[in-house]
Amino acid sequence: MSAATAPVAGPAPLPDPAAPAPLPAALKKAARRRRAVPYLLLLAGVAWLLVFFVAPMVYQASTSVQTGSLDEGFKVTWHFSTYWDAFDAYWPQFVKSLVYSGIATVLCLGIGYPLAYTIAFRAGRWRNLVLILVIAPFFTSFLIRTLAWETILADESPLVHFLNTIHLLDVTSALGITEGDRVMATPLAVVCGLTYNFLPFMILPLYTSLERVDGRLHEAAGDLYATPFTTFRKVTFPLSMPGVVAGTLLTFIPASGDYINAELLGSTNQKMIGSVIQSQFLRVLDYPTAAALSFILMAVILAIVMVYVRRAGTEELV
Amino acid sequence: MRPIRWLRKNLVVVFGVLTLVYLIVPNLVVLLFSFNKPNGRYNYTWTRFSTDAWQHPCGVAGMCDSLTLSLKLAVYATIGATVLGTMTAFALARYRFRGRATTNMLIFLPMAMPEVVMGASLGTLFLNMRIQFGFWTILIAHIMFCLSFVVVAVKARVMSMDPRLEQAAQDLYASPTQTFLRVTLPLAAPGIAAGALLSFALSFDDYIITSFNAGNTVTFPMFVWGSAQRGTPVQVNVIGTAMFVIAVLLVLAGQLLGSSRRKVR
Amino acid sequence: MTTPETLNGPADKDAAATAVSGTAAEAPADAVRLTGISKTYGSFTAVHPLDLTVPAGSFFALLGASGCGKTTTLRMIAGLEDPSSGSVRLGGADVTALPPYKRPVNTVFQNYALFPHLDVFENVAFGLRRRGIKSVKKQVAEMLDLVQLGALARRKPHQLSGGQQQRVAVARALINQPQVLLLDEPLGALDLKLRRQMQLELKRIQTEVGITFIHVTHDQEEAMTMADTVAVMNAGRVEQMGAPADLYENPASTFVANFLGTSNLIETEVLGADGDTLTLGAAGERLTLPAARCRPDVTAGGRVLAGVRPEKITLAHADDADAIPAGRNQVRGTIVDSSFIGVSTQFVIDSPVCPELEVFVPNVERDGRLLPGAPVVLHWNPEHTFGLDAAQDIDAGTDTDTDAESGTASAGGGAA
């Protein structure tokens, strides 16, 4: 019995791959079932988003070209001039939204980066505690924290008093970002609130990407004659780019549509486009205008996001 | 010279700490003013110390009802979004199929959309379908915007899991169901927990989307918003502080539990 | 034909193949029997249709560079990969359509795949529990003793060293008393010293439990140390199979000759065939090759690759050429390079028959004249010469370093 001890390999009688031995039907059935699995898993989640996210968007698109009133009902009349009228009436609020949220995003990056860097490379055994302190404000209501800023920046607050004493507010008022001896109800207050509220959205992605950077790279760069600043500019910062992009988007997008900060910390002069959409929808009941404004805002945001996504790739963000 | 050198070396840490202070100060203000006894309706200036608000946290009409409603909404929305999001995340992380890229885009879009746009759109739909605004419309909206965040958190975790662990389970006589319950789920748990926690926080805290879909129902953020116009009661600060403290304690407890378990074994 | 002979010729091998295909159908003693099994991914063929029979109780190694299809073959036996064609039989039963959890085989995974959320005890008990066995304590304790980990039962995998993790992986698989234990590069993550130690330990365990082991590795030394039978795979095909010594002494292709150890391959022309011996010529030198050790059927005027292992060659200074006994194969050359590696000195010789001949000389009595530039004569017993088909790539299997990441696309040996 040679087979028992002398195993032998060789090509199959018919090595032609075009005529493989038939597979058991059970295997084919199992393979078919496996192909169906992802679709079954996706079904509920995707259906939810299609019905409650995509469908409303489509509906909103049709609303934006309707005319009519609440009493008579609205009809699709392809009234595209709603877009133009809405933009014409509210373009200052658009500009303010983009400018305020843009400045807030840059500020978030500027002041969030040192903290993210500290947590990633310098915090040592404090790392988890500091991370908790960054995340914890999330759990106090957004509104309550914004109201706290109302207290901090109130006219009679010690901070504003101090800023007046050192005449800093004279300088900022001259620059047009505050008014007189007040901070409340000025662009400064709104930007300050926006920066504060969206700062964690910047810090966390930054930290995530910095954490992946091997600390030895700093030593390697130093070994290769890079000063600490050059090391940061040529090694650390480029490696943290995914975090920068993600953080920028996560800050800019919600900030641009936000109206809580503008409403609570600003005056009518600092109204952002979110306020307009909200009041058109909930108070004026002019749904076509609210829809058109939403779409204009969405288009602007998407255009900005696309530019970013092209650079970073969606896989990194999703 | 020494302090200057120290400062140069630790400049980034100094800035980091300042940022941390910036992040924490409003919470401290909330804490401080929860012990205030304001003269008028506006709780902006420090008057005198009092524990009245802490003794009667529900002393303001409607506040605790709205708080209960928000907690209930957050729990339901968390369960819904976590279940749907986890299933979606597994499909995206584990399978190659037609429409995967489109699905990724669909998941990404709600996160790239200003809340005011999503809220207004969904509100318009409900309005035109003549659906009564209330608890259920808010819940639908909350699950919708929490879903993507759960998908992202779970997907990241699942993608970092070694597929060989599940193969090893199958090799060791675990049926697909057993493999999922004994290996996949425990391994994916941190991601699912992160997604659920985020959902809870987002749902509990949401004002903008809720305001478009709430009708006359008042959630806690809506109560705060309403009260901000006519003077916020001190009790709001009490709730804010309590939430902050509970959250920090829970996270710390989780950390301690994790590290002590690691030490014992 | 109970054991492969050391010097069997190609004709014998073919006869064996026929014999096996004829008789194995009614041979339930086989632990694993693959028939025409193949795997294709799109247009890429990972494993060409393949027949393979592993006898029960043997320690069997699948050896090849990464990407050669050995792991895919192993995974098809485990059920983790569905074959594109063919069938898998375990102990006589067809399991092709069975999912992995219904097959009586267990796997030791590459990098072990220990469950990070379970401790050592629970990792080892996993399979027993899944099969509904309630009282696992005694069995697990015994198994942990077998792999000498009794004291670490409550540790988590990340608290163990690489060698300890490896033992847990083996224990976790073995406790289920599988018909076949599959090992996928089980020692790849260990350092050299530990690897040596674990090789012996795995061999000990295999002898102790008597279970059939199928071991996938890219390390030829590991395969030869541990296995009774080695199958050398290349580009989705089995190039040659046999006992380690047999493969080493009688490589059937240039790939095997170069992949297992190193070989000096000399391109020659057949000058004459005289019964049992062939006379070969290369650059004026004459070599003798026993006809039984020549793989291709050759006639006078044909071409053949004559191979000889570096350690079979004796190196003599050209001045001593007269002292070489008659009847040995001789080749003249010049020393190009020599490196001292302790047990032996490795010489590279430039010779008219081949520009880079390797010779390993044991460091017994070192000849001070053997320095680079010195004229030398290489001589060896003609019985140690082997003949290979000259149509093959002479360098097949050389660039596939044991740790090479690259595939074996270039090494497409024509044999098998």
Side-chain angles (χ1 to χ4, degrees):
Chain A
M1 277 298 290
S2 55
T5 43
V8 164
L14 280 174
D16 178 13
L23 277 177
L27 260 187
K28 282 188 200 154
K29 209 172 133 197
R32 248 201 319 277
R33 205 177 312 142
R34 219 167 309 149
R35 266 197 296 279
V37 168
Y39 295 108
L40 290 173
L41 282 172
L42 281 178
L43 194 67
V46 167
W48 198 279
L49 287 182
L50 286 178
V51 175
F52 299 119
F53 176 72
V54 177
M57 289 292 165
V58 175
Y59 203 86
Q60 186 83 321
S62 99
T63 306
S64 69
V65 290
Q66 290 174 356
T67 47
S69 68
L70 197 61
D71 303 326
E72 298 159 12
F74 291 90
K75 282 196 188 68
V76 177
T77 52
W78 303 109
H79 194 261
F80 281 107
S81 59
T82 308
Y83 277 88
W84 177 246
D85 294 342
F87 186 74
D88 195 38
Y90 299 110
W91 68 266
Q93 282 84 351
F94 265 112
V95 172
K96 274 178 201 149
S97 288
L98 296 180
V99 169
Y100 291 167
S101 50
I103 294 173
T105 305
V106 173
L107 285 177
C108 277
L109 183 61
I111 65 180
Y113 208 107
L115 182 54
Y117 187 96
T118 305
I119 304 172
F121 298 118
R122 306 290 292 273
R125 60 204 184 86
W126 300 100
R127 178 189 280 201
N128 279 339
L129 184 71
V130 178
L131 264 181
I132 291 170
L133 289 177
V134 171
I135 300 165
F138 267 128
F139 290 90
T140 309
S141 177
F142 184 96
L143 283 166
I144 298 180
R145 284 179 289 132
T146 310
L147 288 173
W149 278 104
E150 223 176 310
T151 309
I152 297 169
L153 301 178
D155 296 344
E156 56 272 36
S157 81
L159 180 70
V160 174
H161 197 75
F162 172 74
L163 293 178
N164 268 319
T165 317
I166 61 168
H167 297 287
L168 190 66
L169 289 185
D170 295 344
V171 180
T172 53
S173 295
L175 290 170
I177 55 176
T178 56
E179 282 162 33
D181 56 358
R182 301 193 68 192
V183 178
M184 271 303 282
T186 65
L188 181 68
V190 176
V191 170
C192 183
L194 284 172
T195 308
Y196 166 76
N197 271 315
F198 296 103
L199 192 52
F201 291 92
M202 178 66 85
I203 293 175
L204 292 178
L206 278 178
Y207 163 70
T208 312
S209 64
L210 278 172
E211 192 210 5
R212 289 192 204 134
V213 177
D214 189 339
R216 281 172 300 185
L217 291 179
H218 297 159
E219 293 171 13
D223 183 57
L224 297 167
Y225 316 107
T227 62
F229 181 69
T230 319
T231 303
F232 175 76
R233 208 164 48 91
K234 292 284 180 191
V235 179
T236 319
F237 190 74
L239 286 172
S240 68
M241 262 328 268
V244 173
V245 173
T248 317
L249 288 179
L250 283 175
T251 309
F252 180 75
I253 293 168
S256 62
D258 176 78
Y259 57 82
I260 293 174
N261 287 285
E263 289 275 324
L264 293 182
L265 303 175
S267 69
T268 44
N269 283 332
Q270 283 84 43
K271 256 199 188 349
M272 288 167 67
I273 195 64
S275 307
V276 180
I277 296 174
Q278 197 237 18
S279 67
Q280 289 294 326
F281 189 96
L282 293 178
R283 273 178 253 159
V284 186
L285 306 180
D286 181 355
Y287 302 117
T289 302
L293 287 171
S294 298
F295 262 82
I296 297 171
L297 177 62
M298 198 169 84
V300 173
I301 299 282
L302 277 184
I304 294 169
V305 170
M306 284 304 164
V307 172
Y308 256 100
V309 164
R310 189 147 302 170
R311 286 181 153 199
T314 45
E315 205 68 14
E316 209 124 13
L317 300 162
V318 176
Chain B
M1 282 313 280
R2 228 201 241 140
I4 292 174
R5 205 186 303 150
W6 181 90
L7 194 69
R8 238 174 57 188
K9 225 178 139 191
N10 294 290
L11 198 62
V12 65
V13 180
V14 172
F15 274 116
V17 170
L18 285 177
T19 307
L20 200 60
V21 170
Y22 178 60
L23 273 172
I24 298 299
V25 157
N27 287 79
L28 297 179
V29 170
V30 173
L31 171 72
L32 182 70
F33 278 79
S34 73
F35 290 105
N36 192 16
K37 193 170 178 67
N39 279 330
R41 286 186 304 167
Y42 292 97
N43 187 13
Y44 291 152
T45 43
W46 181 256
T47 317
R48 63 196 155 87
F49 182 85
S50 150
T51 55
D52 284 1
W54 282 92
Q55 278 165 10
H56 310 285
C58 284
V60 188
M63 192 187 76
C64 280
D65 292 340
S66 70
L67 188 65
T68 319
L69 177 73
S70 273
L71 286 172
K72 201 166 129 193
L73 269 170
V75 170
Y76 283 21
T78 302
I79 294 171
T82 307
V83 170
L84 297 186
T86 302
M87 292 196 323
T88 309
F90 268 99
L92 288 173
R94 277 295 161 80
Y95 298 89
R96 300 267 170 267
F97 54 91
R98 246 124 101 65
R100 187 166 173 273
T102 318
T103 313
N104 265 327
M105 201 62 205
L106 181 67
I107 299 297
F108 173 68
L109 274 177
M111 295 188 294
M113 200 64 70
E115 284 186 70
V116 71
V117 176
M118 281 195 285
S121 306
L122 190 58
T124 314
L125 185 80
F126 285 143
L127 199 74
N128 282 282
M129 296 284 149
R130 313 238 175 269
I131 292 167
Q132 184 69 45
F133 284 114
F135 182 83
W136 294 104
T137 51
I138 304 176
L139 183 61
I140 285 171
H142 282 201
I143 292 178
M144 184 266 288
F145 73 75
C146 290
L147 190 58
S148 298
F149 290 92
V150 176
V151 173
V152 171
V154 177
K155 194 177 142 201
R157 176 75 192 179
V158 173
M159 282 174 89
S160 73
M161 273 159 52
D162 185 350
R164 273 179 301 209
L165 291 171
E166 282 156 295
Q167 293 170 2
Q170 294 232 336
D171 185 63
L172 294 164
Y173 312 105
S175 66
T177 320
Q178 287 176 322
T179 304
F180 183 76
L181 291 177
R182 301 276 172 183
V183 176
T184 316
L185 210 54
L187 290 174
I192 297 173
L197 216 63
L198 198 60
S199 291
F200 189 91
L202 286 171
S203 163
F204 187 81
D205 207 17
D206 182 73
Y207 171 73
I208 295 182
I209 292 180
T210 311
S211 69
F212 286 97
N213 296 288
N216 295 323
T217 314
V218 179
T219 63
F220 182 66
M222 293 178 75
F223 175 87
V224 177
W225 177 266
S227 70
Q229 320 294 324
R230 33 169 220 277
T232 324
V234 184
Q235 276 82 351
V236 165
N237 290 41
V238 173
I239 302 296
T241 305
M243 269 156 39
F244 179 77
V245 172
I246 290 171
V248 172
L249 285 182
L250 277 181
V251 179
L252 277 177
Q255 289 271 329
L256 286 178
L257 203 70
S259 67
S260 72
R261 193 182 291 159
R262 233 170 286 140
K263 255 174 235 154
V264 168
R265 297 222 165 155
Chain C
M1 271 239 4
T2 40
T3 41
E5 286 164 61
T6 320
L7 298 178
N8 66 335
D12 293 332
K13 191 201 161 215
D14 289 345
T18 334
V20 168
S21 345
T23 55
E26 62 267 13
D30 295 338
V32 178
R33 194 168 144 70
L34 307 180
T35 315
I37 201 160
S38 74
K39 182 70 189 176
T40 50
Y41 299 98
S43 61
F44 173 70
T45 305
V47 177
H48 289 278
L50 166 79
D51 289 351
L52 196 68
T53 306
V54 180
S58 66
F59 198 130
F60 187 92
L62 276 173
L63 173 67
S66 50
C68 73
K70 57 190 192 305
T71 296
T72 310
T73 307
L74 191 82
R75 289 168 63 84
M76 288 193 286
I77 300 173
L80 298 168
E81 208 84 63
D82 290 334
S84 304
S85 70
S87 71
V88 181
R89 288 177 161 270
L90 293 173
D94 189 337
V95 297
T96 317
L98 287 185
Y101 54 94
K102 289 186 179 160
R103 295 190 188 199
V105 296
N106 290 111
T107 310
V108 176
F109 286 79
Q110 198 172 3
N111 300 90
Y112 324 130
L114 299 178
F115 302 122
H117 59 299
L118 301 177
D119 61 24
V120 169
F121 185 94
E122 287 301 325
N123 262 286
V124 175
F126 192 92
L128 294 180
R129 292 198 196 280
R130 296 293 83 71
R131 287 185 298 163
I133 296 164
K134 290 279 177 294
S135 49
V136 298
K137 214 166 178 175
K138 187 158 162 282
Q139 276 195 69
V140 174
E142 278 172 14
M143 185 47 70
L144 286 177
D145 284 341
L146 178 72
V147 296
Q148 298 160 0
L149 282 175
L152 304 178
R154 289 300 164 195
R155 293 268 185 94
K156 286 279 179 73
H158 66 90
Q159 296 168 310
L160 302 179
S161 70
Q164 289 167 337
Q165 290 184 13
Q166 208 271 337
R167 284 166 215 251
V168 177
V170 171
R172 183 178 74 171
L174 271 183
I175 195 167
N176 305 293
Q177 297 176 320
Q179 283 181 24
V180 182
L181 183 73
L182 307 172
L183 303 110
D184 185 4
E185 299 271 7
L187 308 177
L190 305 179
D191 63 45
L192 191 63
K193 209 165 176 181
L194 200 54
R195 208 183 309 169
R196 291 267 158 74
Q197 191 188 328
M198 288 307 299
Q199 285 173 6
L200 298 176
E201 181 138 353
L202 278 178
K203 187 83 191 157
R204 169 184 74 84
I205 292 171
Q206 199 264 337
T207 319
E208 215 160 297
V209 297
I211 290 172
T212 312
F213 278 31
I214 300 183
H215 179 172
V216 156
T217 180
H218 64 260
D219 183 342
Q220 42 109 2
E221 204 180 301
E222 189 176 300
M224 291 203 280
T225 318
M226 298 165 77
D228 325 320
T229 311
V230 176
V232 182
M233 282 190 80
N234 179 32
R237 292 186 167 88
V238 172
E239 290 252 340
Q240 194 180 359
M241 193 157 100
D246 184 34
L247 290 183
Y248 187 80
E249 303 294 350
N250 295 305
S253 67
T254 54
F255 180 84
V256 177
N258 290 325
F259 192 74
L260 272 96
T262 47
S263 292
N264 293 305
L265 296 175
I266 303 166
E267 291 181 72
T268 65
E269 189 187 340
V270 182
L271 299 178
D274 167 29
D276 292 344
T277 52
L278 299 170
T279 309
L280 313 173
E285 308 268 7
R286 274 166 183 268
L287 302 173
T288 310
L289 169 68
R293 287 178 54 82
C294 186
R295 290 275 159 180
D297 291 323
V298 287
T299 48
R303 302 201 64 82
V304 72
L305 289 171
V308 62
R309 296 286 184 180
E311 75 280 5
K312 312 282 193 206
I313 302 174
T314 310
L315 204 56
H317 193 270
D319 295 349
D320 302 340
D322 297 341
I324 298 169
R328 288 176 72 87
N329 281 336
Q330 293 191 24
V331 167
R332 290 178 173 277
T334 315
I335 297 179
V336 178
D337 190 22
S338 79
S339 34
F340 176 80
I341 56 158
V343 291
S344 65
T345 304
Q346 302 192 353
F347 291 94
V348 178
I349 315 289
D350 179 19
S351 149
V353 301
C354 175
E356 269 189 18
L357 285 173
E358 270 191 272
V359 181
F360 300 165
V361 178
N363 288 326
V364 187
E365 285 150 352
R366 301 175 63 199
D367 186 341
R369 295 171 295 169
L370 298 180
L371 297 170
V376 288
V377 178
L378 289 65
H379 59 99
W380 68 91
N381 183 347
E383 288 292 316
H384 290 140
T385 318
F386 52 85
L388 298 176
D389 188 347
Q392 301 171 77
D393 175 8
I394 194 167
D395 292 323
T398 46
D399 52 351
T400 44
D401 192 89
T402 46
D403 288 311
E405 282 295 306
S406 63
T408 52
S410 64

